[in-house]
Amino acid sequence: MFDRLDDILIRFEELLHELGDPVLTSDPEKFRRLMKEQAELAPLVETYTQYKKTKKSIEENLELLEQERDEEMRELLKEDLAEAKKQMPELEKELKLLLLPKDPNDEKNVFVEIRAGAGGDEAALFAADLFRMYSRFAERNRWKSELISVNESGIGGMKEVVFMISGQGAYSRLKYESGVHRVQRVPETESGGRIHTSTATVAIMPEAEEIDFHLDMNVVIDMNDCKFDVFRASGNGGQCVNTTDSAVRLTHIPTGIVISCQDEKSQLKNKDKALKVLRAKLFELETAKKQDEQAKYRRSQIGTGDRSEKIRTYNFPQSRVTDHRIKLTLYKLDAIMDGDLFELIDSLTAADQAEKLSNMENQTM
């Protein structure tokens, strides 16, 4: 581990030297790439520098303790030594976490697809609640939300909704949300006051750029495989949205994937959005295929892609939210439904990191 860290320190110094070269200003693409690499290495370099400084402090204090005879000075040295020794395991753990392989999708924008599951109208209402929850979470992170398509039910619910969340680290924060979300509450349509259980599925898909398909994915979008139909948008819309054939339905013939987009007034813009969603779905399919080929890496405690996995229960009578993967229960349902997902997501991230760290340590034993 420390040989690798020393190599990273050397590379960081090389980056600083390259970035200081005035000639680099004539190559903005290379400058951007080097700046990105430097930003990625900076937290690791900072932590390793602190680790080396703390280790040196321990060695110096031990040496001084052997020479010092004044009891008051010895006590001060012992306090400094104890504090430094306390920091060492924390710094070592942080270094190991920083050395864990990064998910290449972590910094990407995401497409969120929410579908009503079992429960009829109540499931559609719950899907709408989840849409609002993630929209509010995006607002709290100062990310941008953009509606792609929605299929509304007659009582204010959503049978299906697809929207995009754009912002730094969006996928890294939302990737654990894929799966089946279950709600337990008295529906608005229930006159007898009985608690019903309904479900909705959530899929989190990283935005796929064209480059993703050429680097490591065997996916190419052939426009001859795409069938486009246009129709008049329905539901809520501004001027012209409901009065022209601007909505687009894209069918990908090889996979049977169908995407409808009607949010924009422009047919061309709706077509472009539909292609972006298709690209993300094909990227997700290819990623799942690769994970199936490497099943031992897929079967983690947390998981980031299985739509059939029941991951969380929202119990309204008890104001309780339980994430079943990490056995975490929080009694703050109102805050969570209003987008305060930070404690949940932080706990999921920590559990995933701990598991990966454990696997890494087992492999080196």
Side-chain angles (χ1 to χ4, degrees):
M1 182 178 84
F2 293 105
D3 288 342
R4 185 178 169 192
L5 286 166
D6 287 332
D7 290 341
I8 289 171
L9 272 183
I10 293 169
R11 176 57 185 156
F12 192 76
E13 291 298 325
E14 290 173 350
L15 284 169
L16 292 177
H17 179 72
E18 288 184 66
L19 287 167
D21 188 347
V23 179
L24 196 61
T25 56
S26 62
D27 191 346
E29 178 57 31
K30 184 178 180 182
F31 179 76
R32 185 195 64 78
R33 179 170 51 80
L34 294 178
M35 283 294 292
K36 184 182 179 203
E37 186 180 356
Q38 183 202 24
E40 289 173 350
L41 293 181
L44 188 53
V45 169
E46 183 181 342
T47 305
Y48 187 40
T49 302
Q50 181 61 39
Y51 175 88
K52 292 174 74 174
K53 181 180 176 182
T54 304
K55 185 180 179 182
K56 185 179 179 181
S57 173
I58 290 173
E59 292 169 352
E60 289 176 348
N61 281 335
L62 285 171
E63 188 176 333
L64 288 170
L65 265 175
E66 290 182 3
Q67 301 170 2
E68 186 60 59
R69 294 292 172 261
D70 183 81
E71 199 57 39
E72 189 173 341
M73 281 298 298
R74 284 179 63 82
E75 286 301 315
L76 289 172
L77 287 169
K78 286 178 182 178
E79 288 179 15
D80 289 344
L81 184 61
E83 182 62 30
K85 284 184 174 180
K86 181 182 176 182
Q87 290 178 11
M88 286 297 280
E90 296 172 2
L91 289 168
E92 282 184 13
K93 182 179 179 181
E94 189 174 349
L95 283 172
K96 288 177 181 177
L97 287 173
L98 288 168
L99 281 171
L100 286 174
K102 299 267 190 311
D103 186 330
N105 296 319
D106 272 352
E107 295 305 311
K108 291 184 177 181
N109 303 326
V110 297
F111 288 100
V112 184
E113 180 185 77
I114 304 173
R115 290 184 177 181
D121 287 339
E122 168 62 8
L125 288 169
F126 180 50
D129 289 339
L130 291 177
F131 169 68
R132 181 181 181 277
M133 179 181 79
Y134 290 122
S135 299
R136 289 285 294 123
F137 181 66
E139 289 174 15
R140 288 169 182 262
N141 284 280
R142 297 183 179 178
W143 295 335
K144 178 185 174 184
S145 295
E146 184 179 5
L147 187 66
I148 303 295
S149 66
V150 60
N151 182 5
E152 298 175 320
S153 68
I155 59 171
M158 293 177 173
K159 296 177 182 178
E160 180 183 8
V161 59
V162 180
F163 59 106
M164 184 178 187
I165 294 179
S166 307
Q168 186 175 5
Y171 183 75
S172 69
R173 298 294 283 163
L174 288 168
K175 62 184 177 181
Y176 304 114
E177 294 301 297
S178 287
V180 176
H181 295 241
R182 182 175 67 172
V183 64
Q184 295 172 329
R185 65 184 177 188
V186 178
E188 295 178 14
T189 55
E190 170 61 52
S191 58
R194 293 173 299 175
I195 296 174
H196 286 223
T197 297
S198 304
T199 62
T201 60
V202 175
I204 305 293
M205 300 169 286
E207 182 184 19
E209 304 292 341
E210 289 291 348
I211 192 172
D212 290 319
F213 297 106
H214 298 296
L215 285 179
D216 60 354
M217 294 294 181
N218 299 318
V219 178
V220 176
I221 297 181
D222 186 343
M223 296 306 291
N224 292 323
D225 291 335
C226 298
K227 178 188 174 186
F228 290 93
D229 297 304
V230 296
F231 58 97
R232 187 162 297 180
S234 61
N236 295 327
Q239 187 179 6
C240 299
V241 172
N242 304 121
T243 58
T244 61
D245 290 335
S246 59
V248 171
R249 182 183 297 108
L250 165 59
T251 303
H252 188 245
I253 297 168
T255 60
I257 293 173
V258 179
I259 298 153
S260 297
C261 186
Q262 62 180 45
D263 189 53
E264 298 286 348
K265 298 177 185 178
S266 162
Q267 185 184 119
L268 193 62
K269 288 182 179 179
N270 281 326
K271 181 179 178 180
D272 183 57
K273 279 187 177 183
L275 280 169
K276 284 184 178 181
V277 177
L278 174 63
R279 190 174 294 119
K281 283 179 175 282
L282 292 176
F283 185 81
E284 181 192 32
L285 285 173
E286 190 65 20
T287 301
K289 190 189 300 181
K290 284 181 174 289
Q291 289 173 335
D292 283 337
E293 292 169 0
Q294 302 173 348
K296 63 179 180 180
Y297 298 110
R298 184 176 182 230
R299 305 187 197 289
S300 62
Q301 177 190 1
I302 309 304
T304 59
D306 190 351
R307 299 188 195 196
S308 65
E309 178 190 8
K310 184 184 74 178
I311 64 169
R312 194 174 295 151
T313 295
Y314 305 75
N315 185 293
F316 276 67
Q318 298 177 19
S319 190
R320 166 173 58 83
V321 176
T322 299
D323 195 288
H324 305 291
R325 295 162 294 179
I326 55 175
K327 308 297 187 293
L328 173 67
T329 296
L330 300 174
Y331 290 89
K332 45 187 285 187
L333 183 139
D334 288 345
I336 288 171
M337 296 307 295
D338 193 43
D340 184 4
L341 297 170
F342 297 99
E343 188 173 353
L344 269 171
I345 289 175
D346 287 344
S347 299
L348 286 161
T349 303
D352 189 32
Q353 288 177 338
E355 184 178 4
K356 287 176 180 174
L357 191 59
S358 175
N359 291 336
M360 184 176 74
E361 290 171 346
N362 290 337
Q363 289 170 9
T364 58
M365 288 177 65

